[in-house]
């Protein structure tokens, strides 16, 4: 089964199937949903602090695959001898201003300065909760290869990165990380833009990360689509799928999945273990901060899905099903 390359109408990238992106026409009902919402969107109890011991990275994972979930979609992946960081966001707020906008529930468990040497950084798309200006500026002079969706390089170079360290990838493109890891850009169902103008003028993607021993999938942001089954057929099975379960709402069902569709996507992908991401870090939707993971756990059991849900900042080897239940101690 072949995967589609990206396509445009004029300057605008298109999803593979018709998609309601919850644009300006839905702003009033979306705002009304927020105003009338009574859920615990922000934790009443302060989360954390979570702390990562950097010395852990002095010893490679015995299994060859270790994950440190920084929070949201920021993940430090150690796979078959390489270290890859996804969608790194260390700022307090995911907004055009650090004075207002969605604020972190907990500080990043490891400082940028304490990260181990990286072999690559993946940037899936240009939204503020995935592409963070201050974090990119930290990496700008570190000579780390960045792999990003088409169009995103303009931000990286604007913030100080040298163009020769950036590889833009269209859907279906592959690139090497070192000599053994093959990174392939695959479709997702989402949208892009960092302001009122320029919507969908850069691409959004998911990624297959295949090493000599392990094969994993980073879903980034996506609504449910037939492409999950196509990706599973073309690149699966996967040892681990990293899929967004949070930031859903009834007025934007096409661009985020929620736990039910995310678990269905995992099955389509032929995943062995499912790691929930994109939850428990920022208030981005009118649901309780803990709702996505609380719903996912029984749902996964019902669908015979093995979860991999480590605590934030906890370097955890991927050897089988694991659920830390980290959020439960913060429930009201």
């Amino acid at each position: 089964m072949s995967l589609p390359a990206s396509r445009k109408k004029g300057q605008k990238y298109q999803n593979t199937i018709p998609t309601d992106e919850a644009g300006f026409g839905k702003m009033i009902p979306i705002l009304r949903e927020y105003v009338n919402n009574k859920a615990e969107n922000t934790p009443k109890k302060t989360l954390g602090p979570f702390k990562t011991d950097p010395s852990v990275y002095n010893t490679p994972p015995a299994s060859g695959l270790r994950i440190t979930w920084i929070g949201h979609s920021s993940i430090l992946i150690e796979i078959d001898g390489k270290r890859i960081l996804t969608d790194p966001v260390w700022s307090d707020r995911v907004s055009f201003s650090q004075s207002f906008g969605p604020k972190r529930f907990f500080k990043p468990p490891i400082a940028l300065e304490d990260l181990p040497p990286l072999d690559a950084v993946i940037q899936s798309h240009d939204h503020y909760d995935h592409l963070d200006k201050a974090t990119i500026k930290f990496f700008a002079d570190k000579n780390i290869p960045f792999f990003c969706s088409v169009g995103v390089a303009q931000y990286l170079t604007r913030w100080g990165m040298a163009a020769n360290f950036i590889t833009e990838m269209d859907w279906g493109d592959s690139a090497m990380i070192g000599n053994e890891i093959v990174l392939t850009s695959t479709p997702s169902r989402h949208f892009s833009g960092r302001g009122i103008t320029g919507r969908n003028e850069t691409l959004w993607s998911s990624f297959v990360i295949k090493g000599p021993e392990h094969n994993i999938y980073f879903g980034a942001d996506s609504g449910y689509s037939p492409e999950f089954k196509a990706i599973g057929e073309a690149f699966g099975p996967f040892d681990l799928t990293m899929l967004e379960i949070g930031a859903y709402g009834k007025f934007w069902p096409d661009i985020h999945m929620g736990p039910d569709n995310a678990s269905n996507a995992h099955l389509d992908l032929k995943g062995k273990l499912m790691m929930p991401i994109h939850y428990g870090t920022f208030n981005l939707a009118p649901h309780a901060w803990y709702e996505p993971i609380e719903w996912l756990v029984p749902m996964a059991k019902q669908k015979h899905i093995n979860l991999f849900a480590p605590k934030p900042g906890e370097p955890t080897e991927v050897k089988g099903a694991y659920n830390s239940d980290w959020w439960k101690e913060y429930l009201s």
Side-chain angles (χ1 to χ4, degrees):
M1 188 179 293
S2 61
L3 296 175
S6 68
R7 61 186 178 88
K8 283 183 171 181
K9 282 185 180 177
Q11 297 298 311
K12 310 290 188 182
Y13 283 99
Q14 304 294 304
N15 282 295
T16 59
I17 58 176
T19 299
D20 182 347
E21 297 164 8
F24 295 114
K26 284 196 171 180
M27 288 305 292
I28 291 176
I30 287 172
L31 287 171
R32 189 180 296 123
E33 185 182 21
Y34 272 94
V35 169
N36 296 329
N37 169 58
K38 299 291 190 287
E40 188 182 331
N41 305 110
T42 299
K44 293 177 182 175
K45 299 178 183 177
T46 302
L47 305 190
F50 305 109
K51 296 293 182 183
T52 303
D53 178 4
S55 68
V56 169
Y57 303 114
N58 296 332
T59 305
S63 65
L65 183 60
R66 183 166 58 196
I67 297 290
T68 309
W69 183 45
I70 308 300
H72 204 55
S73 297
S74 302
I75 310 161
L76 177 57
I77 301 167
E78 297 170 90
I79 177 171
D80 299 343
K82 299 297 180 186
R83 296 193 188 103
I84 302 167
L85 185 62
T86 65
D87 288 355
V89 175
W90 259 254
S91 289
D92 281 341
R93 295 183 186 271
V94 286
S95 170
F96 61 87
S97 169
Q98 287 301 298
S99 298
F100 51 86
K103 189 176 182 181
R104 310 187 70 95
F105 299 157
F106 57 88
K107 296 287 186 184
I110 184 170
L112 285 168
E113 295 83 358
D114 293 334
L115 286 170
L118 300 174
D119 296 288
V121 175
I122 295 172
Q123 286 290 168
S124 65
H125 64 298
D126 68 8
H127 284 158
Y128 286 98
D129 58 321
H130 294 258
L131 179 64
D132 178 38
K133 181 178 179 180
T135 304
I136 298 301
K137 284 191 166 186
F138 171 85
F139 286 123
D141 62 351
K142 303 297 189 292
N143 296 344
I144 299 167
F146 268 64
F147 299 87
C148 64
S149 300
V150 176
V152 175
Q154 63 182 298
Y155 299 106
L156 306 182
T157 54
R158 189 183 307 163
W159 300 333
M161 284 198 66
N164 58 309
F165 282 97
I166 304 168
T167 301
E168 286 197 326
M169 302 179 72
D170 198 351
W171 295 344
D173 287 350
S174 292
M176 297 298 296
I177 299 175
N179 296 321
E180 294 185 309
I181 306 293
V182 181
L183 179 69
T184 303
S185 172
T186 46
S188 65
R189 188 186 186 193
H190 201 54
F191 68 107
S192 66
R194 291 172 72 84
I196 295 172
T197 61
R199 191 178 177 99
N200 292 349
E201 292 181 7
T202 65
L203 189 59
W204 49 94
S205 309
S206 59
F207 292 87
V208 173
I209 306 167
K210 184 172 177 56
E213 301 295 330
H214 294 93
N215 186 32
I216 64 178
Y217 175 80
F218 173 59
D221 277 6
S222 181
Y224 187 70
S225 86
E227 304 310 328
F228 288 111
K229 193 173 286 287
I231 293 166
E233 291 292 336
F235 297 98
F238 293 101
D239 299 298
L240 182 72
T241 67
M242 294 163 277
L243 293 166
E244 53 125 286
I245 65 166
Y248 49 84
K250 66 181 180 180
F251 292 108
W252 62 89
D254 290 355
I255 53 175
H256 285 292
M257 288 191 284
D260 191 16
N261 276 329
S263 52
N264 290 337
H266 169 81
L267 296 172
D268 288 349
L269 289 161
K270 302 181 180 179
K272 298 175 184 175
L273 293 170
M274 175 185 172
M275 178 180 174
I277 61 172
H278 206 272
Y279 78 100
T281 313
F282 299 103
N283 174 9
L284 300 174
H287 57 66
W289 69 272
Y290 54 82
E291 183 181 280
I293 188 68
E294 282 280 281
W295 282 10
L296 178 65
V297 171
M299 204 172 282
K301 190 173 183 179
Q302 184 182 35
K303 297 180 184 182
H304 307 289
I305 292 172
N306 289 319
L307 293 181
F308 180 78
K311 180 180 179 181
E314 176 184 74
T316 307
E317 294 210 31
V318 182
K319 295 186 287 188
Y322 171 63
N323 183 2
S324 65
D325 283 335
W326 70 270
W327 64 92
K328 288 191 178 295
E329 68 178 281
Y330 303 101
L331 297 183
S332 301

